[in-house]
């Protein structure tokens, strides 16, 4: 039977090798909220460690910065140096384990198939809620509870939050966590496929850049 406890056990089993935690420090002022880790993120242990992160770096720091934002923050954290432009940036995923199958070893896919099938369906059903299937309802509640708890840890901090893309925007709204200390930058696309450089998205992306420039001073 697909119980909440079963899905929690499967989540914890996968988290041992595939969980990618948020990157948030006491100096963080601007938090990008994204969907979930993929192959590059699992390999490097930080969010947006692949092409999407490279798009973010170029927009925030200039076209000469091709290194993904997650890797810049990881290096910055390891070196423990003060760089105001990096100190202020934080990264937070809705789901801390991959929602797609590709990052997983085949044996982990098979032994946790029920959870991963549900996560895959949830990921690609951005507009389809509430779910009617009982397993999907339980996994969605698990996902939402974990995300909500991470947001609650930030509720007393002065932050600008940037949900990137429809999935992050949807789950930020569903989490229903708010604070009068937060500023929310709305309608920002996910940085995949170089979307932050497209003309149609320049208005919200420019608002992100403005917020970043204000915080890094």
């Amino acid at each position: 039977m697909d119980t909440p406890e079963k899905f929690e056990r499967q989540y914890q089993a996968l988290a041992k090798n595939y969980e990618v935690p948020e990157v948030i420090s006491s100096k963080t002022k601007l938090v990008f909220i994204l969907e979930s880790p993929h192959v590059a993120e699992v390999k490097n242990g930080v969010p947006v460690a692949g092409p999407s992160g490279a798009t973010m770096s170029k927009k925030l720091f200039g076209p000469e910065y091709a290194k993904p934002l997650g890797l810049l923050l990881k290096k910055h954290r390891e070196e423990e140096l003060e760089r105001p432009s990096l100190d202020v940036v934080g990264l937070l995923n809705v789901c801390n384990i991959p929602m797609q199958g590709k990052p997983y070893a085949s044996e982990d896919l098979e032994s946790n198939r029920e959870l991963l099938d549900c996560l895959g369906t949830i990921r690609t059903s951005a507009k389809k809620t509430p779910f009617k299937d009982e397993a999907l309802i339980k996994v969605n509640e698990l996902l939402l509870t974990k995300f909500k708890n991470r947001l609650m840890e930030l509720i007393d901090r002065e932050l600008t939050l940037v949900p990137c893309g429809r999935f992050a925007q949807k789950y930020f709204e569903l989490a229903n966590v708010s604070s009068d200390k937060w500023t929310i930058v709305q309608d920002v696309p996910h940085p995949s496929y170089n979307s932050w450089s497209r003309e149609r998205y320049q208005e919200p992306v420019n608002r992100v850049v403005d917020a970043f420039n204000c915080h890094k001073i």
Side-chain angles (χ1 to χ4, degrees):
M1 183 178 177
D2 291 331
T3 64
E5 293 76 18
K6 175 183 177 179
F7 290 129
E8 176 65 32
R9 285 195 302 272
Q10 291 188 341
Y11 183 99
Q12 294 303 329
L14 292 170
K16 291 177 183 177
N17 293 318
Y18 301 97
E19 186 172 50
V20 177
E22 58 268 24
V23 178
I24 295 176
S25 74
S26 60
K27 297 179 180 179
T28 299
K29 297 293 182 184
L30 177 67
V31 179
F32 292 100
I33 302 174
L34 300 121
E35 178 204 282
S36 61
H38 199 40
V39 175
E41 288 71 29
V42 172
K43 178 181 177 182
N44 292 283
V46 287
V48 286
S52 293
T55 293
M56 297 173 81
S57 293
K58 290 176 184 177
K59 203 68 181 179
L60 294 177
F61 307 117
E64 68 274 18
Y65 286 87
K67 193 168 188 175
L69 181 58
L71 297 185
L72 286 176
L73 292 176
K74 180 181 180 181
K75 187 172 186 289
H76 173 59
R77 186 172 51 182
E78 292 169 350
E79 292 176 346
E80 297 183 344
L81 298 175
E82 283 197 25
R83 294 189 185 91
S85 62
L86 289 173
D87 281 334
V88 301
V89 178
L91 303 171
L92 177 69
N93 277 323
V94 172
C95 184
N96 279 356
I97 64 170
M99 298 182 74
Q100 302 178 62
K102 191 173 181 180
Y104 295 105
S106 57
E107 59 269 23
D108 294 320
L109 278 173
E110 290 308 314
S111 58
N112 300 284
R113 173 62 64 187
E114 297 89 348
L115 173 66
L116 291 174
D117 281 351
C118 288
L119 286 177
T121 299
I122 291 169
R123 177 182 171 269
T124 56
S125 303
K127 295 183 179 179
K128 298 177 183 176
T129 51
F131 295 108
K132 295 181 180 179
D133 180 86
E134 282 298 318
L136 287 173
I137 291 171
K138 291 169 185 173
V139 173
N140 195 57
E141 287 176 352
L142 176 70
L143 174 69
L144 194 54
T145 298
K146 290 181 181 297
F147 178 48
K148 186 172 183 176
N149 289 342
R150 294 199 298 280
L151 288 173
M152 290 295 294
E153 293 175 2
L154 305 174
I155 203 164
D156 294 323
R157 296 185 54 174
E158 296 271 359
L159 295 170
T160 298
L161 303 184
V162 186
C164 298
R166 285 180 295 179
F167 186 91
Q169 290 158 10
K170 170 188 170 183
Y171 276 85
F172 182 73
E173 184 177 335
L174 287 173
N176 196 29
V177 177
S178 61
S179 169
D180 57 9
K181 296 185 175 183
W182 290 353
T183 299
I184 315 301
V185 182
Q186 304 281 8
D187 303 320
V188 177
H190 192 278
S192 56
Y193 306 110
N194 205 32
S195 63
W196 280 21
S197 295
R198 295 181 192 171
E199 184 63 33
R200 61 185 289 198
Y201 296 127
Q202 286 317 290
E203 194 274 329
V205 171
N206 286 340
R207 284 191 276 117
V208 172
V209 175
D210 289 344
F212 169 69
N213 288 332
C214 287
H215 285 307
K216 74 177 183 179
I217 296 172

